[in-house]
Amino acid sequence: MTSVLFQRARVIDPRNGVDGIRDVLVTDGRVAQVSEAPLVAPKDARVVDATGKWVVPGFIDLHVHLREPGEEGKETVLTGCRAAVAGGFTGVVAMPNTKVVNDSALVTELVLSRARDADLCHVYPAGAITKGLKGEELSEAGELVGAGCVALTDDGRPVMNAALMRRVLQYATLFDVPVMVHEEDLTLSAGGAMHEGATSTRLGLRGIPASAEVAMVARDLVLLEETKGRLHVAHVSCEGSVRLIREAKKRGLRVTCEVAPHHFTLDDRAVGDYDTHAKMAPPLRGDADVKALREALVDGTVDAIATDHAPHGVSDKLVEFEKGINGIVGLETALGLTLALVHEGVLTPRRAVELLSEGPARVFGLPGGHLAPGSPADITVVSPGEEWTVDAHRFYSRSRNTPFHGRTMKGRVSQTWVGGRCVFEDGQLKESR
Amino acid sequence: MRHLLGIAGWRRDELEALLDRAQEHLPGGPEASHVLRGQVVANLFFEDSTRTRSSFEVAARRLGADVLNWSFAGSSVSKGETLLDTARNIEALGPAIIIIRHRSSGAPHLVARHVKCAVVNAGDGAHEHPSQALLDAFTLRQRWGSLDGRTVLIVGDVLHSRVARSNLVCLKALGARVVLCGPPTLLPPGLEEMGGEVTHRLDAVLPQADAVMCLRLQTERMAEAFLPSQREYSRLFGLTPARVERMKPDAPVLHPGPINRGVELSPAVADGPRSVILEQVANGVAVRRAILERCAS
C-alpha cells in the first residue's frame, strides 16, 4: 500500500465546495481523506508539506494536438504528455487531425497505446466527425466511441455542410458524446490571416471578420435546438459567440464551450510587426472581444479553459505572415496565464480551478476533476505566488512556437500527480521508465 | 543600418529632411553624390514591377552603385526556396542595400530581421509602398510648398492598396487632411484610427479636394465580388472630365500607375492638364536617390 499525505494545503475543490486549509491523504491511487483536522501520516507514507500551496484536482485540457501519428517532428504522444504534466495537466483530449486522421478504431488504439507507453497522464482521443476530415461522409462514431474516443470533432476545420452537421448532432445522441466544433465559415474567412480590424488594415493583411465564427455558432445552435444533441464549441474567440452561447444556455440547450488562454490574454495588436507566433485560428481578436471572453469566464458561460496546444516547427513560423501556419503551444503556459486573471482580480481562485479541472471533466464526462474520497488521485499542486519567466527553449513540448517567450508569470506548477503517482516535481519529470 | 520598411513611425522632420534632400537630386541640382560607389544594391522583386524596379535602378546607378537585378520568374523561389533562404543567398553576395518587392505584407520586415544590410520596402502586399508615398508627397510639395491644411482625396480600392496606406500616413504626417473614397467593400475598417476620413460619395467631396489621387483597380476584384463590374465602378468612382469640372481649378490628379484607361481615369483626364502622372515618375528617381543615400549613411 502506498500513501501520500499533503499537509496544510489550501485545497480548492469546486465540485465539493471545498476551499480551505486541509490535509489530503491519498492511498492506492485514490483520494482517501480530505480533512480540516491534521491527519497522521500512515507508516511509509510520503509526506508533502504543502504550506502556502494549492492542492487542486488535476487539470484537464479538452483541446490538444499531439501530432502523432504523422508529424512526430512537432510532437509525439510522449512529448505531449511530458508538456502536459509539466503544465499541471493530468488528462488531455487529443484532436483527431493527425496525419493519418483519427477516424477509425485503429488510429484511436494507436494513440491510446502510445499513451500507455508514455505512462504519464491520461490521454483521451477525440474521433473525427467525417472520414478524413473531408466534411463529406460521417465516420463510424460507434466504432470510435467503442475504441475510447470521448468526443467527435473535425477540429481545425468546420463542418461547412449544414445538413451533415445536423445529422451528426442527431446521430451522436446514440452515444451521448459531445460534438466539438471549430466554428469558421470558410467563405467569410477565406484569404484572411488575422482578425479583421484596425490592425489588419494598418498591416495590410486580409482580415477574418468575427462573423466568420459567430455565424457558424448561430447556425449550430439552431441545429442543436432542433436535434436535442450535445454541442461543444471549441476555442471561442469573440463577443458575438459568447453572447449567443450564453442565451442558448439560458434556454436549456446542451451547449458547452471552451476558451483558450491566448484569446483571453492577447488581442490582435499582438501581431505587432507580423509576428507569426501570434497567428492562430481563430485569430486573436479585438480588445472588446477579450473583455467579453473574460466576462464569460466569470459568469459561467465558459465551461473550460482549453489550450488548443498546437505544436509547429521553427520553419513553419519563419515565413511571411500570410504563409505562417496557425497555432501556438499552450500546455506549459496555461496555468500562468489563467492565474494572471486571478492576480488581476478577474477570476477567483476557485473559479480558475473550476475552469481548468472540474469544468472540462464535466463537459466531456471524464473521470477526475474533483477530490472527493474515492476519486482518482489526479492532483496538481500549485505555487500560486512563484514568479518565473517563460523560456520556450526549456519546454518539454517538442515545439517552441509561443508568443509568451520571455513573459514573466506569477504562479507555477509545483507537482503533478496522476493516479497517486508523482509524475512532475519542481520542474523535473518523474518518469517511471 | 537604416531600413525603410514603411512610413509609419517616421517623424515629420525626418520626412521633410528626406524630401529636402530629394530636391537636391533633381536635374540641375548640386554635384551628384556617389555615396554608393563600389557597392552593390540588390533589387529583389518577387512581383513584377518594371516601373518601381527601374526607378530604383536608375537611382542606385546615379549614386555610383552596381545593381543586381533578381526577379522571381524562373528563380529558386519557384523551386520552393523560402523567402529567408533567398534573402540570405542574396545577402551573401554582399549588397549594401536590398530593395524588396513582395506580394505578402510584412515580407520586408521578415527579411530585415534576418539580414545585416539595409532593407528598403518597394511594396509589400497591401501594407506599404513608402517610396511611392514619398514621391507623391514630393510632387505635391513641389506645387504647394507645404502640405499644411491641404486636402488630398484618395479614390478607389483602399483595401488592397499599399499606396493608399503609405500615402495616408505620409500625407497626415506632413500636415494634410486625407479623405478616402470608394465603395464600402473596398474601404477597410480602422482607416479613421490611421487619421483618414471616409466617404463613399465622390461627387460630394471632389470640390473640397486640393489634389485627387486615383488608385489602380485590379480586374480580379470583380471576380472576388468586391464589385459588380468595372463599368459600374467607373460610373461611380471614375475620374471623368465632368467630374474634373467639380474640382478646385488648380487641383492636380495623381496616379501611381499603371493606369487602367477608362476605369479610374478617363483618357482625357489621364493625358489632360491636371495630370501630374509623369512628374511623379520623374520625381521618383530623385526621391529614391535620397532614400538609398539615407540607407547607406
Side-chain angles (χ1 to χ4, degrees), chain B residues 268-280:
Chain B
V269 178
D271 304 326
R274 303 295 190 98
S275 168
V276 295
I277 295 169
L278 295 177
E279 278 175 51
Q280 289 174 269

Side-chain angles (χ1 to χ4, degrees), chain B residues 97-166:
Chain B
I97 301 169
I98 291 178
I99 299 164
I100 177 166
R101 158 72 62 100
H102 200 285
R103 67 183 68 253
S104 287
S105 301
H109 301 69
L110 177 67
V111 172
R113 278 198 290 271
H114 291 93
V115 297
K116 291 184 190 72
C117 58
V119 173
V120 174
N121 180 0
D124 63 326
H127 176 229
E128 282 227 37
H129 193 344
S131 62
Q132 178 72 42
L134 287 165
L135 73 88
D136 290 340
F138 183 86
T139 305
L140 292 173
R141 210 177 68 146
Q142 230 176 5
R143 293 178 82 86
W144 299 334
S146 163
L147 272 64
D148 276 317
R150 300 283 184 165
T151 296
V152 180
L153 174 61
I154 301 179
V155 185
D157 179 3
V158 177
L159 176 63
H160 299 97
S161 175
R162 50 194 170 216
V163 173
R165 280 172 185 72
S166 278

Side-chain angles (χ1 to χ4, degrees), chain B residues 133 136 140 151-159 161-172 177-183 186-187 191 196-199 202 205-206 209 211-216 233 237 254 256:
Chain B
D136 290 340
L140 292 173
T151 296
V152 180
L153 174 61
I154 301 179
V155 185
D157 179 3
V158 177
L159 176 63
S161 175
R162 50 194 170 216
V163 173
R165 280 172 185 72
S166 278
N167 263 302
L168 170 54
V169 177
C170 187
L171 295 169
K172 284 297 293 182
R177 170 183 173 225
V178 179
V179 181
L180 303 138
C181 178
L186 293 176
L187 293 176
L191 291 170
E197 296 169 43
V198 170
T199 177
L202 179 59
V205 290
L206 270 177
V212 178
M213 191 179 284
C214 297
L215 302 173
R216 177 177 165 80
Y233 177 82
F237 298 101
L254 296 87

Side-chain angles (χ1 to χ4, degrees), chain B:
Chain B
M1 202 53 58
R2 316 188 75 187
H3 303 300
L4 174 60
L5 300 177
I7 301 290
W10 280 55
R11 295 192 317 267
R12 178 171 183 161
D13 60 318
E14 293 172 319
L15 292 169
E16 299 272 13
L18 192 133
L19 297 179
D20 289 343
R21 181 62 184 151
Q23 188 71 32
E24 294 170 13
H25 284 302
L26 285 175
E31 188 64 21
S33 145
H34 282 90
V35 65
L36 285 170
R37 188 193 302 278
Q39 306 216 50
V40 173
V41 171
N43 262 330
L44 197 51
F45 275 57
F46 292 86
E47 230 182 34
D48 291 334
S49 169
T50 312
R51 187 177 311 250
T52 302
R53 188 179 51 72
S54 305
S55 182
F56 269 115
E57 182 168 351
V58 172
R61 287 192 197 286
R62 295 256 167 93
L63 295 171
D66 293 321
V67 178
L68 171 72
N69 276 315
W70 186 98
S71 69
F72 175 84
S75 74
S76 45
V77 172
S78 50
K79 296 170 191 156
E81 187 171 70
T82 66
L83 170 61
L84 271 189
D85 284 338
T86 304
R88 284 170 172 152
N89 274 285
I90 296 290
E91 189 194 18
L93 299 170
I97 301 169
I98 291 178
I99 299 164
I100 177 166
R101 158 72 62 100
H102 200 285
R103 67 183 68 253
S104 287
S105 301
H109 301 69
L110 177 67
V111 172
R113 278 198 290 271
H114 291 93
V115 297
K116 291 184 190 72
C117 58
V119 173
V120 174
N121 180 0
D124 63 326
H127 176 229
E128 282 227 37
H129 193 344
S131 62
Q132 178 72 42
L134 287 165
L135 73 88
D136 290 340
F138 183 86
T139 305
L140 292 173
R141 210 177 68 146
Q142 230 176 5
R143 293 178 82 86
W144 299 334
S146 163
L147 272 64
D148 276 317
R150 300 283 184 165
T151 296
V152 180
L153 174 61
I154 301 179
V155 185
D157 179 3
V158 177
L159 176 63
H160 299 97
S161 175
R162 50 194 170 216
V163 173
R165 280 172 185 72
S166 278
N167 263 302
L168 170 54
V169 177
C170 187
L171 295 169
K172 284 297 293 182
L174 292 169
R177 170 183 173 225
V178 179
V179 181
L180 303 138
C181 178
T185 47
L186 293 176
L187 293 176
L191 291 170
E192 291 88 351
E193 289 175 39
M194 295 174 72
E197 296 169 43
V198 170
T199 177
H200 309 298
R201 311 268 172 244
L202 179 59
D203 290 316
V205 290
L206 270 177
Q208 302 170 20
D210 293 299
V212 178
M213 191 179 284
C214 297
L215 302 173
R216 177 177 165 80
L217 185 75
Q218 308 284 340
T219 48
E220 63 260 35
R221 303 307 168 214
M222 271 64 76
E224 293 171 281
F226 285 103
L227 295 167
S229 70
Q230 203 163 282
R231 176 171 168 268
E232 176 149 312
Y233 177 82
S234 182
R235 205 163 52 77
L236 294 172
F237 298 101
L239 208 53
T240 57
R243 285 210 164 101
V244 169
E245 287 300 305
R246 301 177 61 85
M247 291 164 54
K248 290 184 181 176
D250 297 321
V253 173
L254 296 87
H255 192 296
I259 308 165
N260 292 307
R261 284 180 179 265
V263 183
E264 308 97 62
L265 291 174
S266 300
V269 178
D271 304 326
R274 303 295 190 98
S275 168
V276 295
I277 295 169
L278 295 177
E279 278 175 51
Q280 289 174 269
V281 176
N283 289 336
V285 175
V287 169
R288 289 183 172 113
R289 280 171 76 176
I291 290 169
L292 294 178
E293 229 178 23
R294 181 181 177 278
C295 288
S297 68

Side-chain angles (χ1 to χ4, degrees), chain A residues 229-245:
Chain A
R230 255 175 91 184
L231 183 74
H232 177 74
V233 185
H235 46 46
V236 168
S237 74
C238 49
E239 195 265 336
S241 303
V242 292
R243 193 175 58 230
L244 291 174
I245 293 166

Side-chain angles (χ1 to χ4, degrees), chain A residues 2-3 40 54 77 89 131 142 167 177-178 192 202 204 217 226 276 291 317 331 335 360 379 383 410 416 426 433:
Chain A
T2 57
S3 311
V40 178
W54 298 356
V77 174
F89 290 91
K131 288 179 187 162
R167 286 198 194 105
V177 289
R202 182 175 61 77
V217 171
E226 216 166 57
T276 49
K291 192 164 165 283
K317 292 287 189 183
L331 286 165
L335 174 68
I379 289 171
S383 299
K410 192 174 164 195
T416 308
D426 295 332
R433 290 166 304 114

